């Protein structure tokens, strides 16, 4: 038997001197996630040479005639992960034998290879398999390959829906080889069921985070196995798993005392019994709760209000069977004293009455987000603002009964730091001659895609909020220079971030005033789609904006002259610059862009029809630190 080298691979069969593809005999090594030795040569049987004719050696290598029991004992005594990974590359047969050995079955008297990571890093290696790469063979290779490097800590499998995708076998291989697993995420793995999840539960007792999404084969049985064997579970996320229901959640609540975060979405079998058991059992530690698209009723919200004593973040969405009474009881139960952030989306039970009750019952609420809550009016919003004394951030999206009077009332009755209003069609300009009390606390204002908000609305904001630093008015086509200039003049603190994208009617006058009044503080300016902005604005920016790092003048009227003006500004240190859709910026700007590129990390030249691909190639060669879009 002709053998050369301790790190070589063995291969039986014929040998021909003119063969150029011996590597295909060990092609399995290219498909697995294991360690490869520095030298990879094919171990072959030595031929007898008689004249010019080759004869195969008929004697078979002794290693091939060993029964699996002997190979099993040999593999158990391998010195470490490097050697196991090398053996796994030889054949699928050897790989299957290796993954049948649990980590604890390796000889304890043999020390691990010195290439293994230290104990403090144990369990934090991460692997992510997506689409066609998610197969049982790859999972088996991962199990073997990570065993000598501290073990696998985090595993994510996504999109394994093909016929060769992950099955219970692959997940079982991970369970046997990776007892250190702490985080497991399974998305769209229809061929994996309770058997695989039960194997994980039996072997991976350190599991802390479990994320199951679009897994139709998982049921309460698998979740109960996790609950019975993984007491360290702190985070559970279940989405679109139609067979998981109340029994699984009851087991999790009873047997996982460390659970801190739970998210359940679109699971039709989950009802009041599961949610109430989960909340009541974990009331002392559960801090983050998200329920979306569930068949729960007012009873579940009453339980949340009573037992959610440790909940700091609560998100409720698409709860069609919850009425006004449920939200009213949740607020009046007085159990959500630690609640800091509350998000409610598409819940018809949120009305003026229930909103005020939640404001009174959540004494420490600082962030509130209401989306598609169509029954809330100005009266309920103002009452909520008065009762929620700690409120700092309010976001309203598509709440169409809210008007400008409601937002003014909120600003006048609480110490908001941030107000965001998106697509609220009830927001329309009104003339307000009533004396308004200033809201000196408001630092950030965002009014986006509210077509009725215009000059009069800006005037009111300017009078109310003199300490603004962040202003986002994107998508407000009705905004003009006459409305925006007074707001800029009344901002006393100095604007830092300004987003005027989609404000079609503003001109260079606004930018000139902005740079003159706030050039010393401005860091971000977005003028995307402001088609009346010209080179005059870029010249003003170059002269006055010392700290500007992000500038977007996409789809504007700037030309090569404006780019040149920016490049001549010695104090300007732009990091992100966008000229997307600027047809008047051409190849002539190449020297200017190269100069600007000394500090740039991102440059957007998409849809710049006057810039050739050759110019972009030259920029890529020169600005190797900059990410260029073209």
């Amino acid at each position: 038997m002709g053998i050369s080298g301790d790190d070589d691979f063995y291969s039986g069969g014929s040998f021909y001197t003119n063969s150029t593809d011996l590597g295909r005999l060990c092609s399995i090594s290219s498909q697995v996630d294991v360690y490869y030795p520095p030298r990879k040569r094919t171990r072959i049987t030595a031929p007898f040479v008689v004249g010019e004719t080759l004869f195969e050696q008929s004697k078979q290598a002794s290693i091939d005639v060993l029964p699996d029991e002997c190979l099993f004992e040999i593999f158990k005594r391998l010195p470490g992960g490097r050697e196991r990974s090398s053996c796994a590359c030889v054949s699928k047969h050897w790989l299957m034998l290796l993954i049948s050995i649990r980590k604890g079955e390796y000889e304890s008297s043999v020390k691990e290879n010195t290439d293994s990571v230290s104990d403090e890093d144990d369990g934090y290696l991460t692997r992510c398999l997506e689409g066609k790469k998610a197969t049982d063979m790859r999972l088996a290779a991962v199990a073997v390959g990570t065993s000598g490097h501290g073990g696998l800590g985090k595993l994510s499998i996504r999109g394994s829906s093909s016929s060769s995708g992950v099955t219970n076998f692959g997940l079982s291989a991970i369970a046997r080889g990776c007892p250190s697993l702490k985080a497991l995420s399974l998305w769209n793995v229809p061929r994996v069921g309770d058997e695989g999840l039960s194997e994980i539960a039996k072997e991976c007792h350190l599991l802390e985070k479990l994320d199951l999404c679009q897994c139709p084969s998982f049921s309460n049985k698998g979740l109960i196995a996790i609950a019975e064997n993984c007491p360290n579970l702190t985070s559970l996320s279940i989405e679109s798993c139609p067979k998981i229901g109340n029994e699984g959640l009851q087991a999790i609540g009873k047997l996982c005392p460390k659970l801190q975060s739970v998210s359940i979405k679109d699971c039709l079998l989950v009802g009041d019994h599961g949610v109430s058991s989960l909340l009541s059992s974990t009331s002392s530690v559960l801090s983050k709760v998200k329920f979306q698209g569930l068949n729960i009723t007012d009873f579940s919200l009453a339980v949340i209000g009573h037992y959610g004593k440790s909940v700091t973040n609560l998100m409720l969405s698409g709860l069609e069977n919850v009425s006004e009474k449920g939200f009213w009881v949740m607020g009046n139960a007085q159990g959500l004293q630690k609640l800091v952030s509350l998000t409610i989306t598409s819940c018809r039970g949120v009305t003026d009455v229930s909103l005020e009750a939640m404001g009174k019952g959540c004494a420490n609420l600082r962030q509130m987000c209401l989306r598609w809550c169509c029954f809330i009016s100005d009266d309920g919003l103002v009452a909520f603002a008065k009762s929620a004394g700690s409120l700092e951030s309010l976001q309203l999206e598509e709440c169409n009964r809210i008007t400008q009077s409601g937002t003014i009332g909120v600003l006048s009755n609480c110490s908001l730091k941030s107000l965001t209003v998106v697509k609220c069609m009830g927001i329309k300009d009104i003339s307000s001659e009533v004396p308004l009390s200033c809201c000196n606390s408001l630092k950030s204002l965002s009014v986006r895609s509210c077509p009725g908000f215009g000059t009069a609305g800006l005037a009111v904001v300017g009078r109310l909020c003199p300490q603004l630093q962040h202003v986002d008015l994107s998508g407000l086509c009705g905004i003009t220079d006459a409305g925006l200039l007074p707001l800029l003049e009344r901002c006393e603190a100095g604007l830092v971030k300004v987003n005027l994208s989609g404000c079609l009617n503003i001109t260079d006058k606004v930018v000139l005033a902005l740079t003159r009044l706030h050039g010393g503080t401005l860091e971000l300016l977005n003028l995307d789609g402001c088609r009346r902005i010209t080179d005059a604005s870029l010249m003003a920016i170059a002269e006055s904006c010392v700290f500007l790092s992000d500038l977007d003048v996409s789809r504007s009227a700037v030309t090569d002259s404006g780019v040149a003006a920016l490049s001549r500004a010695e104090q300007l240190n732009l990091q992100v610059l966008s000229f997307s859709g600027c047809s008047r910026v051409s190849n002539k700007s190449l020297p200017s862009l190269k100069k600007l590129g000394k500090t740039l990390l991102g440059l957007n030249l998409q849809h710049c029809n006057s810039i050739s691909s050759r110019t972009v190639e030259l920029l890529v060669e020169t600005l190797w630190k900059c990410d260029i879009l073209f």
Side-chain angles (χ1 to χ4, degrees), residues 128-132 134 156-160 185-189 211:
C128 181
L129 304 182
E130 298 185 11
K132 295 181 179 179
S156 176
I157 305 173
R158 304 196 175 193
S160 175
S185 179
L186 302 173
W187 286 25
N188 190 19
V189 285
D211 181 7

Side-chain angles (χ1 to χ4, degrees), residues 28-34 36 88-89 95 137-138 141-142:
I28 182 65
S29 63
S30 66
Q31 301 176 18
V32 296
D33 182 9
V34 292
Y36 298 101
C89 292
L95 175 61
M137 286 297 100
R138 284 187 178 271
V142 167

Side-chain angles (χ1 to χ4, degrees), residues 156-200:
S156 176
I157 305 173
R158 304 196 175 193
S160 175
S161 58
S162 64
S163 58
S164 60
V166 174
T167 68
N168 290 323
F169 176 82
L171 211 58
S172 298
I174 289 293
R176 288 191 295 269
C178 306
S180 59
L181 191 67
K182 293 184 178 180
L184 176 63
S185 179
L186 302 173
W187 286 25
N188 190 19
V189 285
R191 302 180 68 198
V192 179
D194 292 332
E195 181 183 342
L197 197 59
S198 296
E199 285 295 317
I200 291 289

Side-chain angles (χ1 to χ4, degrees), residues 44-278:
I44 60 174
T45 54
F48 292 101
V49 182
V50 179
E52 295 182 355
T53 306
L54 296 175
F55 297 92
E56 275 189 275
Q57 179 180 347
S58 60
K59 184 179 179 181
Q60 188 179 11
S62 59
I63 194 70
D64 284 348
V65 298
L66 287 176
D68 288 350
E69 291 80 5
C70 292
L71 289 173
F72 186 88
E73 293 299 323
I74 293 173
F75 291 156
K76 280 175 57 178
R77 290 165 173 78
L78 289 174
R82 178 188 292 250
E83 289 75 16
R84 298 167 203 159
S85 299
S86 299
C87 291
C89 292
V90 173
S91 68
K92 289 183 179 180
H93 182 204
W94 283 26
L95 175 61
M96 293 300 102
L97 282 173
L98 281 162
I99 65 171
S100 68
I101 306 175
R102 289 176 171 81
K103 191 173 182 179
E105 293 178 330
Y106 287 105
E107 291 293 335
S108 58
S109 60
V110 182
K111 293 184 179 180
E112 280 287 322
N113 192 288
T114 55
D115 287 341
S116 298
V117 295
S118 61
D119 290 339
E120 63 182 3
D121 294 325
D122 183 67
Y124 286 97
L125 289 177
T126 300
R127 293 292 182 270
C128 181
L129 304 182
E130 298 185 11
K132 295 181 179 179
K133 295 182 179 180
T135 64
D136 286 344
M137 286 297 100
R138 284 187 178 271
L139 283 179
V142 167
V144 175
T146 58
S147 63
H149 298 273
L152 186 65
K154 299 178 182 179
L155 174 63
S156 176
I157 305 173
R158 304 196 175 193
S160 175
S161 58
S162 64
S163 58
S164 60
V166 174
T167 68
N168 290 323
F169 176 82
L171 211 58
S172 298
I174 289 293
R176 288 191 295 269
C178 306
S180 59
L181 191 67
K182 293 184 178 180
L184 176 63
S185 179
L186 302 173
W187 286 25
N188 190 19
V189 285
R191 302 180 68 198
V192 179
D194 292 332
E195 181 183 342
L197 197 59
S198 296
E199 285 295 317
I200 291 289
K202 292 176 183 178
E203 304 291 343
C204 305
H205 302 299
L206 300 178
L207 192 68
E208 297 177 357
K209 297 181 180 180
L210 179 62
D211 181 7
L212 307 177
C213 179
Q214 296 181 12
C215 300
S217 299
F218 290 142
S219 70
N220 290 322
K221 181 180 178 181
L223 202 58
I224 291 173
I226 291 290
E228 292 175 342
N229 294 278
C230 303
N232 293 321
L233 194 69
T234 60
S235 175
L236 176 65
S237 178
I238 306 173
E239 179 179 346
S240 300
C241 297
K243 293 183 180 180
I244 292 180
N246 294 328
E247 293 180 10
L249 293 184
Q250 288 172 340
I252 291 290
K254 182 179 180 181
L255 301 173
C256 298
K258 298 181 181 180
L259 191 68
Q260 299 175 9
S261 173
V262 60
S263 174
I264 307 174
K265 178 181 178 182
D266 296 336
C267 295
L268 299 181
L269 294 183
V270 173
D272 289 331
H273 290 295
V275 169
S276 59
S277 297
L278 185 66

